[in-house]
Amino acid sequence: MSFEPTSVVAPPAPKRLNEMNLSPVMMRDILIKTLFRKNVDMVSEIAEAICLPIPVTQELVDLAREQRLIEATGTLHANSGNEMGYQLTDQGKARALDALSQSEYYGAMPVPLAVYQEQVKRQSIRNIMINRDQLTGAMGHLILPPDLLDQLGPAVSSGRSILMYGPPGNGKSSISNGIRDALGDKIYVPRAIEYAGQVITVYDPIVHSAAEVQKDDPNSLRRTANRYDTRYVRCERPTVITGGELSLSMLDLVYNPTSRTYQAPLQLKSTGGVFIVDDLGRQEEPPQALINRWIVPLEEGKDILALQSGEKFEVPFDTLVIFSTNFHPNEIFDKAALRRIFFKIKIDGPNQEDFLKIFAMMARRRKMPLDEAALVHLLKKKYPEIDNVYANYQPIFLIDQMIAICEFEGIPYQMSPELIDRAWANMFVKEEAIVH
């Protein structure tokens, strides 16, 4: 039986201003700041700028008009369905400047944290069902032993934490990326969320791949605007990849003192997707300290963040966390930390048969003809020097070395025992004394 990725329920667009669950003052101020900063004067343009349906935007414009912050220009735009134009009054401009001095944020209306939490449940990473065919398809560029998929499948479908460990150069990073590719469906990422009157930007074009782009054509906008709440961006499930640069401070809210807004930390940006911690053990902080920071989120599905004021609050933690390390887990974790990582999967090097499959596949991709004498020399003469320990990175390394030699010598791509020896010499550094 095969499972297709289930379609995520879209966040419904608000129908009335009183459904927004945001302070009317905050919404009014974002509206007039947007009018001050952007060249928009019709309700349809304003609605697109603040990412609200036209009827809700009209309510907000009417509220600001009652407070004499906005006035009608008296101009009807014939090419846009005879829409009325609006502009800030002098009082409105003064209020906009005052509001901008408190927070530079304008544009998309934020989603209240409580509303966002409901959407996180609708699109939880733990709702995903992945079968063997989907996972195999996503890993198609890799040659993996069947029993590895037996372990990876349940780990990915559970949406729980995974620790992959084993010697370097055997594809832990590639497997992590394959897991990401297997997810397949789309989720809704808020442009910004609101908590206690503070705006936290979440959508990040570097992390989030928008699945579709809204068109500027106003007729197109009207057709699509009410399909879902456009304060969200429909995206591929996000993937955040960090390595040796990861520090504990990167898991905290980032406050911008100039704009007086917050940016979501990495794990909040990865909500509904995958967070890959590559090269665990290479960071400045010890692995144990990093794992300790994740213990409560991993167990309870929620994280604690703090505002500049020191006020702490809960955000959802709905992320498939993949730790990848070249160290043995017992070297870098205590038993309590290991117990809290749900799946522990060893990624070993290939056996000789799989090594040859990888070698042949890479040679084909690089248009390097195979040579039996060269392969026999490699397996019978060279690998015994390192106790016949194979690694996934070695075929492409050796082939690329031979290609570089052929191109330098001006000869067609070829492999021979002599070229194998020259390539092999660059794969390992001999232990020898350096004379000063």
Side-chain angles (χ1 to χ4, degrees):
M1 180 177 178
S2 75
F3 293 96
E4 292 300 322
T6 51
S7 185
V8 166
V9 177
K15 293 184 173 62
R16 300 293 305 274
L17 200 58
N18 60 10
E19 291 178 15
M20 295 286 294
N21 296 320
L22 290 169
S23 142
V25 172
M26 178 186 223
M27 291 190 287
R28 180 206 68 194
D29 283 355
I30 289 176
L31 169 71
I32 61 174
K33 284 189 286 185
T34 305
L35 281 169
F36 189 85
R37 288 284 193 224
K38 298 189 83 161
N39 182 28
V40 289
D41 63 351
M42 295 182 297
V43 171
S44 60
E45 293 175 337
I46 299 167
E48 187 176 1
I50 64 175
C51 300
L52 291 181
I54 288 174
V56 180
T57 304
Q58 185 68 61
E59 275 191 81
L60 194 52
V61 168
D62 292 343
L63 176 72
R65 282 184 77 188
E66 286 168 22
Q67 297 175 7
R68 295 189 172 83
L69 301 172
I70 290 178
E71 62 188 1
T73 61
T75 307
L76 292 173
H77 295 266
N79 61 344
S80 300
N82 285 330
E83 274 197 71
M84 178 68 74
Y86 293 94
Q87 65 186 18
L88 291 173
T89 62
D90 289 343
Q91 188 181 336
K93 288 173 186 171
R95 176 60 206 153
L97 284 166
D98 184 41
L100 283 163
S101 73
Q102 295 170 48
S103 165
E104 277 281 342
Y105 184 82
Y106 66 91
M109 208 60 70
V111 178
L113 177 58
V115 175
Y116 173 51
Q117 285 172 325
E118 292 305 309
Q119 183 59 29
V120 170
K121 289 177 190 171
R122 288 193 282 264
Q123 59 193 30
S124 173
I125 189 78
R126 297 193 184 184
N127 295 344
I128 282 187
M129 295 292 290
I130 289 182
N131 67 358
R132 185 179 290 273
D133 288 346
Q134 286 169 303
L135 196 56
T136 304
M139 303 283 184
H141 60 301
L142 302 172
I143 297 202
L144 302 173
D147 62 334
L148 181 56
L149 286 177
D150 294 344
Q151 293 176 281
L152 283 173
V156 176
S157 290
S158 75
R160 307 290 287 270
S161 52
I162 303 172
L163 171 66
M164 291 193 290
Y165 67 98
N170 284 310
K172 292 186 289 296
S173 300
S174 301
I175 291 167
S176 300
N177 293 331
I179 289 171
R180 173 197 63 195
D181 296 342
L183 299 179
D185 60 347
K186 312 283 189 291
I187 63 168
Y188 297 86
V189 177
R191 299 171 197 273
I193 57 177
E194 174 273 342
Y195 173 77
Q198 301 296 321
V199 176
I200 302 163
T201 59
V202 178
Y203 175 73
D204 180 345
I206 295 170
V207 170
H208 302 108
S209 306
E212 56 202 24
V213 178
Q214 295 281 358
K215 291 179 182 170
D216 292 327
D217 174 28
N219 297 319
S220 168
L221 176 71
R222 284 197 184 88
R223 281 204 308 274
T224 61
N226 290 327
R227 263 201 261 155
Y228 63 86
D229 187 343
T230 54
R231 291 178 295 167
Y232 293 81
V233 182
R234 187 168 181 260
C235 296
E236 310 287 342
R237 287 190 179 267
T239 304
V240 171
I241 304 175
T242 64
E245 77 283 1
L246 178 64
S247 65
L248 286 171
S249 64
M250 292 164 73
L251 306 178
D252 296 329
L253 279 175
V254 180
Y255 182 68
N256 184 326
T258 307
S259 65
R260 294 178 177 81
T261 56
Y262 292 88
Q263 188 179 100
L266 294 174
Q267 72 276 19
L268 188 53
K269 289 181 181 179
S270 71
T271 300
V274 182
F275 192 115
I276 299 170
V277 182
D278 214 351
D279 279 336
L280 189 64
R282 305 287 181 204
Q283 294 77 14
E284 283 189 20
E285 274 104 351
Q288 187 71 44
L290 287 169
I291 289 291
N292 288 347
R293 170 63 181 81
W294 296 84
I295 283 174
V296 170
L298 287 171
E299 290 195 339
E300 299 185 14
K302 60 188 179 187
D303 196 10
I304 310 292
L305 299 177
L307 298 172
Q308 282 287 100
S309 63
E311 181 182 355
K312 295 186 175 178
F313 63 103
E314 286 182 7
V315 293
F317 186 87
D318 185 72
T319 303
L320 172 63
V321 184
I322 302 175
F323 300 103
S324 169
T325 183
N326 298 333
F327 295 98
H328 193 282
N330 293 339
E331 293 175 25
I332 54 176
F333 299 126
D334 62 24
K335 288 181 181 174
L338 270 179
R339 193 172 65 245
R340 288 179 165 98
I341 299 175
F342 215 68
F343 291 91
K344 291 162 278 280
I345 302 174
K346 189 175 185 196
I347 310 292
D348 266 325
N351 58 24
Q352 189 182 89
E353 182 185 351
D354 283 342
F355 171 85
L356 285 171
K357 284 182 189 172
I358 297 167
F359 198 97
M361 181 173 74
M362 292 304 174
R364 191 165 56 249
R365 284 186 191 168
R366 291 288 202 263
K367 297 183 169 50
M368 166 67 83
L370 291 171
D371 177 80
E372 187 178 349
L375 285 172
V376 168
H377 179 72
L378 180 65
L379 298 179
K380 300 292 185 191
K381 299 287 186 189
K382 307 312 292 184
Y383 271 97
E385 293 177 10
I386 56 166
D387 299 324
N388 294 311
V389 175
Y390 300 95
N392 284 311
Y393 80 92
Q394 292 164 349
I396 194 68
F397 183 95
L398 292 167
I399 289 164
D400 281 351
Q401 287 280 333
M402 288 187 281
I403 285 173
I405 295 166
C406 291
E407 288 177 346
F408 175 72
E409 302 289 0
I411 57 176
Y413 288 179
Q414 57 191 272
M415 57 178 72
S416 66
E418 186 222 344
L419 287 174
I420 289 283
D421 284 343
R422 288 175 69 178
W424 185 270
N426 282 325
M427 199 157 67
F428 302 103
V429 178
K430 287 181 183 176
E431 294 287 341
E432 56 189 2
I434 297 174
V435 180
H436 294 284

